[in-house]
Amino acid sequence: AVGEGKLLQIEYALTAVGEGKTSIGIKAKNGVVLITDKKIQNKLVDVQQVKKLEKVSPSVGFVYSGVGPDYRVLVKKARKQAQAYFLQYRALKPVKALVQDTASVMQEYTQSGGVRPFGISLLVAGYDDEGPQLFQVDPSGAYYGWKASAIGKNFKNARSFLEKRYNDDVELDDAIHTALLTMREGFEGEMTEHTIEVGVVGEDRVFRVLTPAEVKDFLDEST
């Protein structure tokens, strides 16, 4: 009905996110892990060229669920903002400031003529003077800090699984295992080092994507 107070374009964007492959983030006391499903149905696609985890600044990484090309645009903008901050202050941009800037871009696209909202939600992992941080940004431009979160397909089940398993004292290695267990819950087909991607940032404040060999080691440990 007209006048329900719903902004339909944002609702549609959230539907696009819900159709996207699952991504999960967990904040540990000494770092943050991001994990995503990057399974490709078509056997002819070169899986090595499929990347969903992106380093935005040395200490911050993004992952998305939803429409891939929209993600590229946001990653590019966020990298520019991080670089501009570094040029001006000779310091890394705080995680929350980077999140706020990205959320502002997303909000702008809900209110400008001739554009549509971004069809993605983001999970942002970072480490700065405030310690490890995990944020989620939605197409409306809303952002929240989380201890653990999930976006994309199956996010409700993943989130309730995380609620049962999460504790504040978790170490990064254990958080990685919990993330893998959560992802495995609703995973279609075989979960291998080629069908998921894992990124971490620890006390060294360097965000990095784990190699397939490292992911395989974690998978072998968690079975």
Side-chain angles (χ1 to χ4, degrees):
V2 176
E4 278 183 359
K6 284 189 171 144
L7 297 172
L8 289 178
Q9 275 215 299
I10 293 175
E11 298 274 317
Y12 298 149
L14 283 167
T15 305
V17 172
E19 289 297 308
K21 293 196 171 71
T22 312
S23 301
I24 293 162
I26 301 178
K27 180 171 82 166
K29 65 178 183 183
N30 59 335
V32 187
V33 56
L34 297 176
I35 178 171
T36 189
D37 173 352
K38 67 161 197 175
K39 191 167 61 273
I40 303 290
Q41 300 301 345
N42 193 325
K43 288 196 172 98
L44 297 177
V45 172
D46 181 358
V47 183
Q48 287 177 326
Q49 302 304 325
V50 180
K51 289 184 170 51
K52 288 180 68 186
L53 283 161
E54 294 286 356
K55 189 173 188 141
V56 172
S57 80
S59 58
V60 177
F62 283 10
V63 72
Y64 78 99
S65 290
V67 181
D70 288 18
Y71 176 58
R72 286 204 303 270
V73 173
L74 276 181
V75 166
K76 196 172 176 183
K77 284 180 189 286
R79 281 180 178 153
K80 273 189 174 168
Q81 286 165 335
Q83 199 61 34
Y85 185 96
F86 185 79
L87 282 170
Q88 190 167 356
Y89 300 108
R90 289 289 159 203
L92 295 182
K93 188 163 190 162
V95 183
K96 192 172 183 182
L98 201 51
V99 167
Q100 284 169 328
D101 281 353
T102 303
S104 294
V105 171
M106 289 173 91
Q107 192 282 329
E108 203 179 300
Y109 276 66
T110 68
Q111 240 186 333
S112 305
V115 299
R116 61 160 176 79
F118 286 91
I120 58 171
S121 284
L122 293 176
L123 290 176
V124 180
Y127 207 122
D128 60 21
D129 291 345
E130 302 291 312
Q133 289 160 74
L134 171 68
F135 286 93
Q136 179 178 329
V137 192
D138 288 331
S140 64
Y143 65 90
Y144 309 93
W146 291 83
K147 293 175 178 178
S149 188
I151 54 175
K153 253 188 200 133
N154 206 31
F155 82 94
K156 284 183 181 153
N157 293 343
R159 231 177 247 175
S160 62
F161 189 84
L162 286 166
E163 273 173 31
K164 294 186 193 100
R165 297 224 164 213
Y166 187 83
N167 72 64
D168 288 324
D169 286 339
V170 68
E171 296 273 348
L172 187 52
D173 268 14
D174 292 332
I176 294 170
H177 286 300
T178 303
L180 289 171
L181 281 173
T182 311
M183 183 62 90
R184 193 172 258 136
E185 276 294 285
F187 204 82
E188 292 166 14
E190 196 189 355
M191 194 166 106
T192 71
E193 66 273 25
H194 305 299
T195 56
I196 59 167
E197 246 182 311
V198 182
V200 294
V201 58
E203 286 168 324
D204 59 358
R205 302 189 186 190
V206 176
F207 179 84
R208 66 185 198 89
V209 179
L210 300 189
T211 64
E214 287 174 299
V215 174
K216 187 177 189 314
D217 286 345
F218 275 110
L219 283 170
D220 290 346
E221 283 170 29
S222 72
T223 47

